[in-house]
Amino acid sequence: MADSANLETERRKQLMALMTRHQRRIFSYIYTLVPRRSDADDLLQETSLVICEKFDEFEEGTDFVAWACQIAYWRVRYARQKFARGKV
């Protein structure tokens, strides 16, 4: 049981280190997809939540930024669809 708790703690530390190191790059990617900075900020927050939820699916040794940007891409698409439906 202690090993499981230690593993979970290490994974959380790894996630926080990766997010801290690459947050600016992920934000920059999102900002290229949306016209307003405030929208990019909101989408970064949403993307960060999804990254935390899906971090168990991330394969260690692969490109974290590419994986995170793929999640961001789908969050932007979802936001655009939601916005388009809201205007009708």
Side-chain angles (χ1 to χ4, degrees), residues 3-68:
D3 289 339
S4 177
N6 287 339
L7 181 60
E8 181 68 25
T9 300
E10 288 303 313
R11 288 291 285 174
R12 285 185 189 162
K13 286 180 182 177
Q14 182 185 24
L15 170 61
M16 293 309 298
L18 288 167
M19 283 300 295
T20 301
R21 186 176 319 131
H22 300 296
Q23 186 172 14
R24 185 172 293 187
R25 287 179 65 193
I26 298 165
F27 174 80
S28 297
Y29 173 74
I30 293 169
Y31 198 32
T32 65
L33 300 174
V34 296
R36 293 190 313 210
R37 184 178 180 88
S38 61
D39 292 338
D41 286 330
D42 292 343
L43 285 162
L44 177 63
Q45 292 300 316
E46 291 178 26
T47 299
S48 297
L49 287 173
V50 175
I51 288 170
C52 289
E53 291 169 0
K54 295 186 176 243
F55 191 63
D56 289 339
E57 298 173 22
F58 175 69
E59 295 179 25
E60 200 170 336
T62 60
D63 188 349
F64 177 78
V65 174
W67 180 76

